Amino acid sequence: MEIEKKDIRSLTKEQLRDFFVANGDKAFRGNQVYEWLWSKASHSFEDMTNVSKETRAMLENNFVINHIKVDQMQRSEDGTVKNAVRLHDGLIVESVLIPTETRTTACVSSQVGCSLDCNFCATARLKRMRNLEPGEIYDQVVAIDRESRLYYNHPLSNIVFMGMGEPLMNYNNVMKAIDMITSDEGLGMSPKRITVSTSGVSKMIKKMADDEVKFKLAVSLHSAIEETRNHIMPFTKNFPLPELREALQYWYKKTKSKVTYEYVVWKGINDDKASIDALVKFCKYVPCKVNLIEYNPIDDGEFQQASDQAIDNCIKALEQNDIVAKVRRSRGKDIDAACGQLANKS
Ligand code: SAH
């Protein structure tokens, strides 16, 4: 029976160096291969032309590179690009390139499906199949960077972990991916250009603060009233608002980095005065800004976008309290690439 080969990207640089020494080669060979695997994002041992043919054959016999493959690319009329990404085991996730005049943002997935059960999100209807490996997250960024250069003539400028999945429920792999994305041995991007979005896993927000991460944090709040939040995001019963508040205060104390709250304004759910007052109050706990996200209907059920008037009221209330608020219009709706629409439809 053939033994399943190990994914070579699960090895640290040290382990790779040790592997070569144990096989009678120089530790330096490990550095060379590591460079091919990460900064050159090579998907094949054949590419590694500065190591001998015998070494490449030896690697082939011992390891695999579990890289992604962009199976299908769809382009929206507004320039947004959605990649259907096939993983080595046949599962599919999606990632999105969002261009503006001045920058391009990659929206990447962290899990196949999602661990959570937000009632308004299409991804939540998929079962969580598994966590993505660091290399699989890294590859999504590399693919979008290439598309950005090809279609928009500039490199990728920002990354948001707002695709499929809850990044803080795949903590170690997301952190390893970000390490490689920001490392000079990887893509060398600034962590300030990376945002991790969470539905509010308090314990892990504190862990990130303890780990002294340098990227930005966004929280999908959607309501600052416990009962409403529990209703629209049922799993939040395990993550009550007072705990979230405390975790965010801890985050700010340690990182001095402002929090962004995501808030979709829905008619009759969180657009009334009591909801807006609660939001304003919650925003005072730590320095923050608010993104009011346009709702992307996923069916004709319970959730409907609030009126322009209600959204205006929300902005006014926040601004009167010196809280920066912006309305985020949807991008890529026509190809199901907008927030909450990622569900492997095609
Ligand atoms: N699980 C993480 C990462 C996903 S980010 C999190 O919840 O933050 C995706 C963002 O899109 C979240 O803010 C989510 O609440 C929002 N979203 C989900 N469904 C949506 C929909 N139908 N319309 C608009 N935004 C939606």
mmCIF file with all atom_site columns, all heavy atoms in Angstrom, residues 116 120-121 161-163 165-167 197-199 220 222 262 264 293-296 298 339-340, ligand 1:
data_model
loop_
_atom_site.group_PDB
_atom_site.id
_atom_site.type_symbol
_atom_site.label_atom_id
_atom_site.label_alt_id
_atom_site.label_comp_id
_atom_site.label_asym_id
_atom_site.label_entity_id
_atom_site.label_seq_id
_atom_site.pdbx_PDB_ins_code
_atom_site.Cartn_x
_atom_site.Cartn_y
_atom_site.Cartn_z
_atom_site.occupancy
_atom_site.B_iso_or_equiv
_atom_site.pdbx_formal_charge
_atom_site.auth_seq_id
_atom_site.auth_comp_id
_atom_site.auth_asym_id
_atom_site.auth_atom_id
_atom_site.pdbx_PDB_model_num
ATOM   1   N N   . LEU A 1 116 ? -20.405 28.484 11.444 1.00 0.00 ? 116 LEU A N   1
ATOM   2   C CA  . LEU A 1 116 ? -21.447 29.296 12.076 1.00 0.00 ? 116 LEU A CA  1
ATOM   3   C C   . LEU A 1 116 ? -22.785 29.162 11.359 1.00 0.00 ? 116 LEU A C   1
ATOM   4   O O   . LEU A 1 116 ? -22.891 28.488 10.337 1.00 0.00 ? 116 LEU A O   1
ATOM   5   C CB  . LEU A 1 116 ? -20.988 30.753 12.130 1.00 0.00 ? 116 LEU A CB  1
ATOM   6   C CG  . LEU A 1 116 ? -19.595 30.938 12.756 1.00 0.00 ? 116 LEU A CG  1
ATOM   7   C CD1 . LEU A 1 116 ? -19.213 32.399 12.753 1.00 0.00 ? 116 LEU A CD1 1
ATOM   8   C CD2 . LEU A 1 116 ? -19.577 30.374 14.164 1.00 0.00 ? 116 LEU A CD2 1
ATOM   9   N N   . PHE A 1 120 ? -28.690 35.000 7.720  1.00 0.00 ? 120 PHE A N   1
ATOM   10  C CA  . PHE A 1 120 ? -28.761 35.861 6.528  1.00 0.00 ? 120 PHE A CA  1
ATOM   11  C C   . PHE A 1 120 ? -27.659 35.555 5.523  1.00 0.00 ? 120 PHE A C   1
ATOM   12  O O   . PHE A 1 120 ? -27.510 36.245 4.518  1.00 0.00 ? 120 PHE A O   1
ATOM   13  C CB  . PHE A 1 120 ? -28.650 37.333 6.963  1.00 0.00 ? 120 PHE A CB  1
ATOM   14  C CG  . PHE A 1 120 ? -27.529 37.551 7.947  1.00 0.00 ? 120 PHE A CG  1
ATOM   15  C CD1 . PHE A 1 120 ? -26.230 37.708 7.497  1.00 0.00 ? 120 PHE A CD1 1
ATOM   16  C CD2 . PHE A 1 120 ? -27.772 37.540 9.329  1.00 0.00 ? 120 PHE A CD2 1
ATOM   17  C CE1 . PHE A 1 120 ? -25.185 37.859 8.398  1.00 0.00 ? 120 PHE A CE1 1
ATOM   18  C CE2 . PHE A 1 120 ? -26.721 37.687 10.229 1.00 0.00 ? 120 PHE A CE2 1
ATOM   19  C CZ  . PHE A 1 120 ? -25.430 37.852 9.765  1.00 0.00 ? 120 PHE A CZ  1
ATOM   20  N N   . CYS A 1 121 ? -26.848 34.543 5.796  1.00 0.00 ? 121 CYS A N   1
ATOM   21  C CA  . CYS A 1 121 ? -25.650 34.310 4.987  1.00 0.00 ? 121 CYS A CA  1
ATOM   22  C C   . CYS A 1 121 ? -25.737 32.985 4.234  1.00 0.00 ? 121 CYS A C   1
ATOM   23  O O   . CYS A 1 121 ? -26.030 31.941 4.821  1.00 0.00 ? 121 CYS A O   1
ATOM   24  C CB  . CYS A 1 121 ? -24.408 34.304 5.883  1.00 0.00 ? 121 CYS A CB  1
ATOM   25  S SG  . CYS A 1 121 ? -22.876 34.041 4.970  1.00 0.00 ? 121 CYS A SG  1
ATOM   26  N N   . PHE A 1 161 ? -10.117 38.906 5.287  1.00 0.00 ? 161 PHE A N   1
ATOM   27  C CA  . PHE A 1 161 ? -10.579 37.535 5.556  1.00 0.00 ? 161 PHE A CA  1
ATOM   28  C C   . PHE A 1 161 ? -12.087 37.604 5.753  1.00 0.00 ? 161 PHE A C   1
ATOM   29  O O   . PHE A 1 161 ? -12.595 37.496 6.860  1.00 0.00 ? 161 PHE A O   1
ATOM   30  C CB  . PHE A 1 161 ? -9.858  36.946 6.779  1.00 0.00 ? 161 PHE A CB  1
ATOM   31  C CG  . PHE A 1 161 ? -8.477  36.458 6.457  1.00 0.00 ? 161 PHE A CG  1
ATOM   32  C CD1 . PHE A 1 161 ? -7.424  37.353 6.327  1.00 0.00 ? 161 PHE A CD1 1
ATOM   33  C CD2 . PHE A 1 161 ? -8.233  35.103 6.253  1.00 0.00 ? 161 PHE A CD2 1
ATOM   34  C CE1 . PHE A 1 161 ? -6.141  36.902 6.002  1.00 0.00 ? 161 PHE A CE1 1
ATOM   35  C CE2 . PHE A 1 161 ? -6.952  34.638 5.938  1.00 0.00 ? 161 PHE A CE2 1
ATOM   36  C CZ  . PHE A 1 161 ? -5.914  35.535 5.796  1.00 0.00 ? 161 PHE A CZ  1
ATOM   37  N N   . MET A 1 162 ? -12.771 37.826 4.628  1.00 0.00 ? 162 MET A N   1
ATOM   38  C CA  . MET A 1 162 ? -14.232 37.961 4.666  1.00 0.00 ? 162 MET A CA  1
ATOM   39  C C   . MET A 1 162 ? -14.893 37.032 3.661  1.00 0.00 ? 162 MET A C   1
ATOM   40  O O   . MET A 1 162 ? -16.023 37.241 3.253  1.00 0.00 ? 162 MET A O   1
ATOM   41  C CB  . MET A 1 162 ? -14.632 39.415 4.371  1.00 0.00 ? 162 MET A CB  1
ATOM   42  C CG  . MET A 1 162 ? -14.126 40.414 5.392  1.00 0.00 ? 162 MET A CG  1
ATOM   43  S SD  . MET A 1 162 ? -14.806 42.045 5.116  1.00 0.00 ? 162 MET A SD  1
ATOM   44  C CE  . MET A 1 162 ? -13.874 42.999 6.327  1.00 0.00 ? 162 MET A CE  1
ATOM   45  N N   . GLY A 1 163 ? -14.154 36.017 3.243  1.00 0.00 ? 163 GLY A N   1
ATOM   46  C CA  . GLY A 1 163 ? -14.755 35.029 2.348  1.00 0.00 ? 163 GLY A CA  1
ATOM   47  C C   . GLY A 1 163 ? -15.493 33.975 3.158  1.00 0.00 ? 163 GLY A C   1
ATOM   48  O O   . GLY A 1 163 ? -16.069 34.277 4.202  1.00 0.00 ? 163 GLY A O   1
ATOM   49  N N   . GLY A 1 165 ? -16.248 31.070 5.731  1.00 0.00 ? 165 GLY A N   1
ATOM   50  C CA  . GLY A 1 165 ? -15.670 30.553 6.969  1.00 0.00 ? 165 GLY A CA  1
ATOM   51  C C   . GLY A 1 165 ? -15.464 31.591 8.048  1.00 0.00 ? 165 GLY A C   1
ATOM   52  O O   . GLY A 1 165 ? -15.573 32.788 7.815  1.00 0.00 ? 165 GLY A O   1
ATOM   53  N N   . GLU A 1 166 ? -15.184 31.081 9.249  1.00 0.00 ? 166 GLU A N   1
ATOM   54  C CA  . GLU A 1 166 ? -14.905 31.951 10.394 1.00 0.00 ? 166 GLU A CA  1
ATOM   55  C C   . GLU A 1 166 ? -13.405 31.815 10.693 1.00 0.00 ? 166 GLU A C   1
ATOM   56  O O   . GLU A 1 166 ? -12.956 30.781 11.226 1.00 0.00 ? 166 GLU A O   1
ATOM   57  C CB  . GLU A 1 166 ? -15.771 31.525 11.587 1.00 0.00 ? 166 GLU A CB  1
ATOM   58  C CG  . GLU A 1 166 ? -15.377 32.110 12.927 1.00 0.00 ? 166 GLU A CG  1
ATOM   59  C CD  . GLU A 1 166 ? -15.260 33.642 12.930 1.00 0.00 ? 166 GLU A CD  1
ATOM   60  O OE1 . GLU A 1 166 ? -16.166 34.343 12.454 1.00 0.00 ? 166 GLU A OE1 1
ATOM   61  O OE2 . GLU A 1 166 ? -14.224 34.139 13.407 1.00 0.00 ? 166 GLU A OE2 1
ATOM   62  N N   . PRO A 1 167 ? -12.627 32.848 10.346 1.00 0.00 ? 167 PRO A N   1
ATOM   63  C CA  . PRO A 1 167 ? -11.165 32.727 10.481 1.00 0.00 ? 167 PRO A CA  1
ATOM   64  C C   . PRO A 1 167 ? -10.697 32.386 11.889 1.00 0.00 ? 167 PRO A C   1
ATOM   65  O O   . PRO A 1 167 ? -9.729  31.645 12.056 1.00 0.00 ? 167 PRO A O   1
ATOM   66  C CB  . PRO A 1 167 ? -10.640 34.106 10.055 1.00 0.00 ? 167 PRO A CB  1
ATOM   67  C CG  . PRO A 1 167 ? -11.809 34.952 9.724  1.00 0.00 ? 167 PRO A CG  1
ATOM   68  C CD  . PRO A 1 167 ? -13.044 34.116 9.743  1.00 0.00 ? 167 PRO A CD  1
ATOM   69  N N   . SER A 1 197 ? -11.829 39.401 9.713  1.00 0.00 ? 197 SER A N   1
ATOM   70  C CA  . SER A 1 197 ? -13.191 39.662 10.160 1.00 0.00 ? 197 SER A CA  1
ATOM   71  C C   . SER A 1 197 ? -13.714 38.466 10.944 1.00 0.00 ? 197 SER A C   1
ATOM   72  O O   . SER A 1 197 ? -13.604 37.331 10.506 1.00 0.00 ? 197 SER A O   1
ATOM   73  C CB  . SER A 1 197 ? -14.102 39.918 8.953  1.00 0.00 ? 197 SER A CB  1
ATOM   74  O OG  . SER A 1 197 ? -15.420 40.138 9.377  1.00 0.00 ? 197 SER A OG  1
ATOM   75  N N   . THR A 1 198 ? -14.289 38.739 12.103 1.00 0.00 ? 198 THR A N   1
ATOM   76  C CA  . THR A 1 198 ? -14.859 37.660 12.910 1.00 0.00 ? 198 THR A CA  1
ATOM   77  C C   . THR A 1 198 ? -16.282 38.012 13.310 1.00 0.00 ? 198 THR A C   1
ATOM   78  O O   . THR A 1 198 ? -16.631 39.174 13.448 1.00 0.00 ? 198 THR A O   1
ATOM   79  C CB  . THR A 1 198 ? -14.041 37.395 14.192 1.00 0.00 ? 198 THR A CB  1
ATOM   80  O OG1 . THR A 1 198 ? -14.719 36.413 14.990 1.00 0.00 ? 198 THR A OG1 1
ATOM   81  C CG2 . THR A 1 198 ? -13.864 38.653 15.024 1.00 0.00 ? 198 THR A CG2 1
ATOM   82  N N   . SER A 1 199 ? -17.068 36.964 13.505 1.00 0.00 ? 199 SER A N   1
ATOM   83  C CA  . SER A 1 199 ? -18.415 37.198 13.988 1.00 0.00 ? 199 SER A CA  1
ATOM   84  C C   . SER A 1 199 ? -18.387 37.455 15.489 1.00 0.00 ? 199 SER A C   1
ATOM   85  O O   . SER A 1 199 ? -19.416 37.691 16.097 1.00 0.00 ? 199 SER A O   1
ATOM   86  C CB  . SER A 1 199 ? -19.253 35.988 13.672 1.00 0.00 ? 199 SER A CB  1
ATOM   87  O OG  . SER A 1 199 ? -18.582 34.874 14.168 1.00 0.00 ? 199 SER A OG  1
ATOM   88  N N   . SER A 1 220 ? -18.279 41.395 12.883 1.00 0.00 ? 220 SER A N   1
ATOM   89  C CA  . SER A 1 220 ? -19.636 41.411 12.323 1.00 0.00 ? 220 SER A CA  1
ATOM   90  C C   . SER A 1 220 ? -20.609 41.521 13.487 1.00 0.00 ? 220 SER A C   1
ATOM   91  O O   . SER A 1 220 ? -20.967 40.525 14.110 1.00 0.00 ? 220 SER A O   1
ATOM   92  C CB  . SER A 1 220 ? -19.882 40.122 11.539 1.00 0.00 ? 220 SER A CB  1
ATOM   93  O OG  . SER A 1 220 ? -18.939 40.014 10.497 1.00 0.00 ? 220 SER A OG  1
ATOM   94  N N   . HIS A 1 222 ? -23.792 43.541 13.698 1.00 0.00 ? 222 HIS A N   1
ATOM   95  C CA  . HIS A 1 222 ? -25.163 43.455 13.163 1.00 0.00 ? 222 HIS A CA  1
ATOM   96  C C   . HIS A 1 222 ? -26.271 43.785 14.164 1.00 0.00 ? 222 HIS A C   1
ATOM   97  O O   . HIS A 1 222 ? -27.363 44.144 13.766 1.00 0.00 ? 222 HIS A O   1
ATOM   98  C CB  . HIS A 1 222 ? -25.450 42.110 12.501 1.00 0.00 ? 222 HIS A CB  1
ATOM   99  C CG  . HIS A 1 222 ? -24.514 41.787 11.370 1.00 0.00 ? 222 HIS A CG  1
ATOM   100 N ND1 . HIS A 1 222 ? -24.130 42.712 10.427 1.00 0.00 ? 222 HIS A ND1 1
ATOM   101 C CD2 . HIS A 1 222 ? -23.838 40.646 11.046 1.00 0.00 ? 222 HIS A CD2 1
ATOM   102 C CE1 . HIS A 1 222 ? -23.287 42.147 9.570  1.00 0.00 ? 222 HIS A CE1 1
ATOM   103 N NE2 . HIS A 1 222 ? -23.082 40.920 9.931  1.00 0.00 ? 222 HIS A NE2 1
ATOM   104 N N   . GLU A 1 262 ? -19.036 45.719 11.424 1.00 0.00 ? 262 GLU A N   1
ATOM   105 C CA  . GLU A 1 262 ? -19.861 45.543 10.231 1.00 0.00 ? 262 GLU A CA  1
ATOM   106 C C   . GLU A 1 262 ? -21.315 45.435 10.706 1.00 0.00 ? 262 GLU A C   1
ATOM   107 O O   . GLU A 1 262 ? -21.621 44.714 11.664 1.00 0.00 ? 262 GLU A O   1
ATOM   108 C CB  . GLU A 1 262 ? -19.429 44.275 9.485  1.00 0.00 ? 262 GLU A CB  1
ATOM   109 C CG  . GLU A 1 262 ? -18.019 44.390 8.928  1.00 0.00 ? 262 GLU A CG  1
ATOM   110 C CD  . GLU A 1 262 ? -17.318 43.055 8.796  1.00 0.00 ? 262 GLU A CD  1
ATOM   111 O OE1 . GLU A 1 262 ? -16.889 42.487 9.826  1.00 0.00 ? 262 GLU A OE1 1
ATOM   112 O OE2 . GLU A 1 262 ? -17.206 42.591 7.663  1.00 0.00 ? 262 GLU A OE2 1
ATOM   113 N N   . VAL A 1 264 ? -25.145 45.233 8.910  1.00 0.00 ? 264 VAL A N   1
ATOM   114 C CA  . VAL A 1 264 ? -26.107 45.275 7.805  1.00 0.00 ? 264 VAL A CA  1
ATOM   115 C C   . VAL A 1 264 ? -27.404 45.804 8.411  1.00 0.00 ? 264 VAL A C   1
ATOM   116 O O   . VAL A 1 264 ? -27.846 45.295 9.446  1.00 0.00 ? 264 VAL A O   1
ATOM   117 C CB  . VAL A 1 264 ? -26.359 43.871 7.207  1.00 0.00 ? 264 VAL A CB  1
ATOM   118 C CG1 . VAL A 1 264 ? -27.354 43.952 6.054  1.00 0.00 ? 264 VAL A CG1 1
ATOM   119 C CG2 . VAL A 1 264 ? -25.064 43.227 6.750  1.00 0.00 ? 264 VAL A CG2 1
ATOM   120 N N   . ILE A 1 293 ? -23.180 47.759 5.813  1.00 0.00 ? 293 ILE A N   1
ATOM   121 C CA  . ILE A 1 293 ? -23.079 46.954 4.592  1.00 0.00 ? 293 ILE A CA  1
ATOM   122 C C   . ILE A 1 293 ? -24.449 46.806 3.951  1.00 0.00 ? 293 ILE A C   1
ATOM   123 O O   . ILE A 1 293 ? -25.437 46.542 4.635  1.00 0.00 ? 293 ILE A O   1
ATOM   124 C CB  . ILE A 1 293 ? -22.522 45.544 4.912  1.00 0.00 ? 293 ILE A CB  1
ATOM   125 C CG1 . ILE A 1 293 ? -21.204 45.651 5.693  1.00 0.00 ? 293 ILE A CG1 1
ATOM   126 C CG2 . ILE A 1 293 ? -22.316 44.728 3.659  1.00 0.00 ? 293 ILE A CG2 1
ATOM   127 C CD1 . ILE A 1 293 ? -20.679 44.305 6.154  1.00 0.00 ? 293 ILE A CD1 1
ATOM   128 N N   . GLU A 1 294 ? -24.462 46.980 2.645  1.00 0.00 ? 294 GLU A N   1
ATOM   129 C CA  . GLU A 1 294 ? -25.708 46.782 1.914  1.00 0.00 ? 294 GLU A CA  1
ATOM   130 C C   . GLU A 1 294 ? -26.080 45.298 1.972  1.00 0.00 ? 294 GLU A C   1
ATOM   131 O O   . GLU A 1 294 ? -25.216 44.433 1.826  1.00 0.00 ? 294 GLU A O   1
ATOM   132 C CB  . GLU A 1 294 ? -25.478 47.204 0.459  1.00 0.00 ? 294 GLU A CB  1
ATOM   133 C CG  . GLU A 1 294 ? -26.732 47.337 -0.347 1.00 0.00 ? 294 GLU A CG  1
ATOM   134 C CD  . GLU A 1 294 ? -26.416 47.721 -1.800 1.00 0.00 ? 294 GLU A CD  1
ATOM   135 O OE1 . GLU A 1 294 ? -25.321 48.240 -2.067 1.00 0.00 ? 294 GLU A OE1 1
ATOM   136 O OE2 . GLU A 1 294 ? -27.278 47.474 -2.641 1.00 0.00 ? 294 GLU A OE2 1
ATOM   137 N N   . TYR A 1 295 ? -27.345 45.019 2.184  1.00 0.00 ? 295 TYR A N   1
ATOM   138 C CA  . TYR A 1 295 ? -27.763 43.616 2.273  1.00 0.00 ? 295 TYR A CA  1
ATOM   139 C C   . TYR A 1 295 ? -27.855 42.990 0.885  1.00 0.00 ? 295 TYR A C   1
ATOM   140 O O   . TYR A 1 295 ? -28.422 43.570 -0.029 1.00 0.00 ? 295 TYR A O   1
ATOM   141 C CB  . TYR A 1 295 ? -29.125 43.506 2.970  1.00 0.00 ? 295 TYR A CB  1
ATOM   142 C CG  . TYR A 1 295 ? -29.623 42.077 3.038  1.00 0.00 ? 295 TYR A CG  1
ATOM   143 C CD1 . TYR A 1 295 ? -28.828 41.066 3.559  1.00 0.00 ? 295 TYR A CD1 1
ATOM   144 C CD2 . TYR A 1 295 ? -30.887 41.734 2.555  1.00 0.00 ? 295 TYR A CD2 1
ATOM   145 C CE1 . TYR A 1 295 ? -29.268 39.746 3.603  1.00 0.00 ? 295 TYR A CE1 1
ATOM   146 C CE2 . TYR A 1 295 ? -31.344 40.417 2.610  1.00 0.00 ? 295 TYR A CE2 1
ATOM   147 C CZ  . TYR A 1 295 ? -30.523 39.434 3.126  1.00 0.00 ? 295 TYR A CZ  1
ATOM   148 O OH  . TYR A 1 295 ? -30.960 38.123 3.166  1.00 0.00 ? 295 TYR A OH  1
ATOM   149 N N   . ASN A 1 296 ? -27.291 41.809 0.766  1.00 0.00 ? 296 ASN A N   1
ATOM   150 C CA  . ASN A 1 296 ? -27.410 41.047 -0.477 1.00 0.00 ? 296 ASN A CA  1
ATOM   151 C C   . ASN A 1 296 ? -28.378 39.917 -0.229 1.00 0.00 ? 296 ASN A C   1
ATOM   152 O O   . ASN A 1 296 ? -28.025 38.939 0.435  1.00 0.00 ? 296 ASN A O   1
ATOM   153 C CB  . ASN A 1 296 ? -26.047 40.499 -0.888 1.00 0.00 ? 296 ASN A CB  1
ATOM   154 C CG  . ASN A 1 296 ? -25.057 41.624 -1.049 1.00 0.00 ? 296 ASN A CG  1
ATOM   155 O OD1 . ASN A 1 296 ? -25.281 42.540 -1.823 1.00 0.00 ? 296 ASN A OD1 1
ATOM   156 N ND2 . ASN A 1 296 ? -23.979 41.580 -0.285 1.00 0.00 ? 296 ASN A ND2 1
ATOM   157 N N   . ILE A 1 298 ? -30.383 36.667 -0.034 1.00 0.00 ? 298 ILE A N   1
ATOM   158 C CA  . ILE A 1 298 ? -30.016 35.311 -0.421 1.00 0.00 ? 298 ILE A CA  1
ATOM   159 C C   . ILE A 1 298 ? -31.279 34.489 -0.657 1.00 0.00 ? 298 ILE A C   1
ATOM   160 O O   . ILE A 1 298 ? -31.228 33.393 -1.171 1.00 0.00 ? 298 ILE A O   1
ATOM   161 C CB  . ILE A 1 298 ? -29.097 34.627 0.614  1.00 0.00 ? 298 ILE A CB  1
ATOM   162 C CG1 . ILE A 1 298 ? -29.720 34.632 2.004  1.00 0.00 ? 298 ILE A CG1 1
ATOM   163 C CG2 . ILE A 1 298 ? -27.742 35.293 0.650  1.00 0.00 ? 298 ILE A CG2 1
ATOM   164 C CD1 . ILE A 1 298 ? -29.028 33.679 2.961  1.00 0.00 ? 298 ILE A CD1 1
ATOM   165 N N   . CYS A 1 339 ? -20.800 40.125 -0.326 1.00 0.00 ? 339 CYS A N   1
ATOM   166 C CA  . CYS A 1 339 ? -20.835 39.617 1.057  1.00 0.00 ? 339 CYS A CA  1
ATOM   167 C C   . CYS A 1 339 ? -22.014 38.687 1.259  1.00 0.00 ? 339 CYS A C   1
ATOM   168 O O   . CYS A 1 339 ? -23.147 39.035 0.940  1.00 0.00 ? 339 CYS A O   1
ATOM   169 C CB  . CYS A 1 339 ? -21.032 40.754 2.063  1.00 0.00 ? 339 CYS A CB  1
ATOM   170 S SG  . CYS A 1 339 ? -19.696 41.890 2.185  1.00 0.00 ? 339 CYS A SG  1
ATOM   171 N N   . GLY A 1 340 ? -21.750 37.540 1.817  1.00 0.00 ? 340 GLY A N   1
ATOM   172 C CA  . GLY A 1 340 ? -22.837 36.637 2.191  1.00 0.00 ? 340 GLY A CA  1
ATOM   173 C C   . GLY A 1 340 ? -23.348 35.778 1.048  1.00 0.00 ? 340 GLY A C   1
ATOM   174 O O   . GLY A 1 340 ? -24.207 34.932 1.227  1.00 0.00 ? 340 GLY A O   1
HETATM 175 N N1  . SAH B 2 .   ? -17.198 34.717 9.624  1.00 0.00 ? 1   SAH B N1  1
HETATM 176 C C1  . SAH B 2 .   ? -16.543 36.007 9.513  1.00 0.00 ? 1   SAH B C1  1
HETATM 177 C C2  . SAH B 2 .   ? -16.014 36.251 8.125  1.00 0.00 ? 1   SAH B C2  1
HETATM 178 C C3  . SAH B 2 .   ? -17.085 36.406 7.047  1.00 0.00 ? 1   SAH B C3  1
HETATM 179 S S1  . SAH B 2 .   ? -17.127 38.073 6.612  1.00 0.00 ? 1   SAH B S1  1
HETATM 180 C C4  . SAH B 2 .   ? -17.487 37.094 9.975  1.00 0.00 ? 1   SAH B C4  1
HETATM 181 O O1  . SAH B 2 .   ? -18.646 36.797 10.219 1.00 0.00 ? 1   SAH B O1  1
HETATM 182 O O2  . SAH B 2 .   ? -17.065 38.233 10.132 1.00 0.00 ? 1   SAH B O2  1
HETATM 183 C C5  . SAH B 2 .   ? -18.549 38.225 5.673  1.00 0.00 ? 1   SAH B C5  1
HETATM 184 C C6  . SAH B 2 .   ? -19.306 39.470 6.050  1.00 0.00 ? 1   SAH B C6  1
HETATM 185 O O3  . SAH B 2 .   ? -20.484 39.559 5.243  1.00 0.00 ? 1   SAH B O3  1
HETATM 186 C C7  . SAH B 2 .   ? -19.763 39.417 7.492  1.00 0.00 ? 1   SAH B C7  1
HETATM 187 O O4  . SAH B 2 .   ? -19.766 40.695 8.051  1.00 0.00 ? 1   SAH B O4  1
HETATM 188 C C8  . SAH B 2 .   ? -21.183 38.928 7.321  1.00 0.00 ? 1   SAH B C8  1
HETATM 189 O O5  . SAH B 2 .   ? -21.965 39.204 8.438  1.00 0.00 ? 1   SAH B O5  1
HETATM 190 C C9  . SAH B 2 .   ? -21.614 39.664 6.093  1.00 0.00 ? 1   SAH B C9  1
HETATM 191 N N2  . SAH B 2 .   ? -22.760 39.053 5.406  1.00 0.00 ? 1   SAH B N2  1
HETATM 192 C C10 . SAH B 2 .   ? -23.168 37.784 5.469  1.00 0.00 ? 1   SAH B C10 1
HETATM 193 N N3  . SAH B 2 .   ? -24.261 37.596 4.716  1.00 0.00 ? 1   SAH B N3  1
HETATM 194 C C11 . SAH B 2 .   ? -24.534 38.783 4.150  1.00 0.00 ? 1   SAH B C11 1
HETATM 195 C C12 . SAH B 2 .   ? -25.534 39.221 3.232  1.00 0.00 ? 1   SAH B C12 1
HETATM 196 N N4  . SAH B 2 .   ? -26.443 38.385 2.752  1.00 0.00 ? 1   SAH B N4  1
HETATM 197 N N5  . SAH B 2 .   ? -25.507 40.513 2.848  1.00 0.00 ? 1   SAH B N5  1
HETATM 198 C C13 . SAH B 2 .   ? -24.555 41.363 3.317  1.00 0.00 ? 1   SAH B C13 1
HETATM 199 N N6  . SAH B 2 .   ? -23.596 40.995 4.169  1.00 0.00 ? 1   SAH B N6  1
HETATM 200 C C14 . SAH B 2 .   ? -23.582 39.723 4.585  1.00 0.00 ? 1   SAH B C14 1
#
